[in-house]
Amino acid sequence: MRIYPDTNIFVYLENKSLTIPKLEDIIGSKIDSIFYSASHIQEALEIKGDNEQHRQDRINKRLETIEKITQGNYINENLKNEVYELKESPFEVIQTITDVSFAQNAMKRLANLISEEQKIETRKLLDLDPKRMNNYKPEEVVEHLNKKLTETGQNYKFLDMIEIGISHHPDGKTFGASNRIAAIFELLDMLGYWKDKYNEKSNYARLWDSSHSFYAAHFDYFITDDKRTVNKSKVVYNIYDVNTKVISTN
């Protein structure tokens, strides 16, 4: 059994509130391998501390936890949208990431291109009720959104919105599944489905949520205790017929 844990699971394993045997009890099977991705490392870089030394110590502890739990099992995607697995230390991955210092700030800017006010107006235009929509099964969500788009006179469906957006991007032809899943997460959130509580970091955090969902699709289980990520991932996996099981520890 191969699993991909969300960052919150690594946090629990680090503070000893969760153990691998407990995870195996939850899954009901022996875990053969656990994987991590660069998204875990990007999130580790967001760790705060009382001072810079304390922050670095906390980051290093997280990297040590990831390395110990995964034994260096690393999954990555290259610029050709090819996904591959290898043995790589998290300390080597973080060095690669921090060598390109502008990347994180650039991604934060991209994640905030659509304002919260614009999202609210979009939901009003489509007459969407987030509380009601959250009760839909994953296979019903896209159908509901397609119906709302039709009722408001739009001549495209939910997934068409993604392809239209990609078609206007200069690098759209090279966009792979990871970018499409990120777009689905963003659209679902914008339209109110298991919407993240808005703050200055929520859009950036959702980028990593979608990335975890993408990488987890290559394994038997995606383990996360973020209920918003759970439900958005289930919609994504339903759209693309992914067999990965999405479960939480509770």
Side-chain angles (χ1 to χ4, degrees):
M1 193 65 62
R2 289 155 39 97
I3 73 167
Y4 181 98
D6 198 349
T7 291
N8 48 56
I9 305 303
F10 280 119
V11 171
Y12 301 155
L13 292 167
E14 183 176 294
N15 64 28
K16 309 296 194 226
S17 62
L18 179 68
T19 63
I20 298 301
K22 176 61 176 175
L23 260 183
E24 291 179 328
D25 286 343
I26 293 167
I27 294 171
S29 178
K30 184 181 183 302
I31 296 172
D32 298 312
S33 55
I34 302 175
F35 280 76
Y36 80 98
S37 72
S39 301
H40 292 107
I41 310 305
Q42 292 278 11
E43 289 184 310
L45 286 169
E46 296 296 304
I47 291 175
K48 305 299 182 184
D50 296 335
N51 52 56
E52 184 57 25
Q53 185 58 55
H54 183 229
R55 174 177 171 271
Q56 287 297 330
D57 289 344
R58 293 188 66 203
I59 291 173
N60 287 337
K61 185 176 181 181
R62 179 63 46 78
L63 299 183
E64 289 169 1
T65 297
I66 292 173
E67 186 162 43
K68 178 181 178 181
I69 296 299
T70 66
Q71 297 180 11
N73 290 322
Y74 179 59
I75 183 169
N76 195 30
E77 180 187 29
N78 63 24
L79 295 176
K80 296 179 180 179
N81 305 129
E82 297 168 336
V83 176
Y84 57 94
E85 300 172 8
L86 71 158
K87 290 284 187 179
E88 184 104 45
S89 167
F91 290 93
E92 294 174 355
V93 175
I94 200 170
Q95 186 62 51
T96 302
I97 290 172
T98 52
D99 279 348
V100 189
S101 58
F102 67 86
Q104 272 193 305
N105 289 331
M107 286 185 285
K108 288 179 181 178
R109 288 194 297 271
L110 284 172
N112 288 293
L113 284 177
I114 302 175
S115 71
E116 188 64 14
E117 291 74 19
Q118 288 172 314
K119 294 177 182 180
I120 292 171
E121 286 303 313
T122 299
R123 291 194 290 275
K124 286 182 180 178
L125 175 67
L126 295 176
D127 188 28
L128 292 168
D129 180 355
K131 290 183 179 179
R132 180 184 175 191
M133 193 158 50
N134 285 352
N135 290 318
Y136 286 131
K137 296 177 182 178
E139 61 270 19
E140 297 172 334
V141 175
V142 174
E143 181 181 342
H144 174 69
L145 292 173
N146 286 340
K147 181 180 178 182
K148 286 294 185 180
L149 287 166
T150 300
E151 288 175 350
T152 54
Q154 311 302 322
N155 60 354
Y156 48 79
K157 296 183 178 180
F158 175 77
L159 291 179
D160 295 332
M161 296 173 72
I162 295 167
E163 297 306 321
I164 290 169
I166 289 174
S167 70
H168 291 293
H169 194 283
D171 297 321
K173 291 181 179 179
T174 64
F175 275 16
S178 59
N179 290 296
R180 282 173 168 78
I181 289 175
I184 291 172
F185 263 63
E186 189 59 36
L187 271 179
L188 287 172
D189 196 83
M190 181 178 76
L191 299 176
Y193 183 68
W194 284 98
K195 184 183 181 307
D196 294 325
K197 185 177 180 181
Y198 177 72
N199 58 49
E200 62 180 8
K201 295 181 179 179
S202 57
N203 293 339
Y204 182 61
R206 191 163 50 256
L207 177 65
W208 304 126
D209 292 340
S210 69
S211 181
H212 289 315
S213 185
F214 165 70
Y215 284 119
H218 298 83
F219 300 99
D220 298 304
Y221 281 90
F222 178 24
I223 319 292
T224 175
D225 277 0
D226 183 336
K227 62 183 179 181
R228 294 171 176 84
T229 300
V230 166
N231 286 282
K232 286 175 179 142
S233 295
K234 286 182 177 179
V235 172
V236 166
Y237 293 170
N238 181 71
I239 290 171
Y240 291 116
D241 293 323
V242 173
N243 293 322
T244 300
K245 294 179 177 65
V246 188
I247 63 172
S248 66
T249 64
N250 50 28

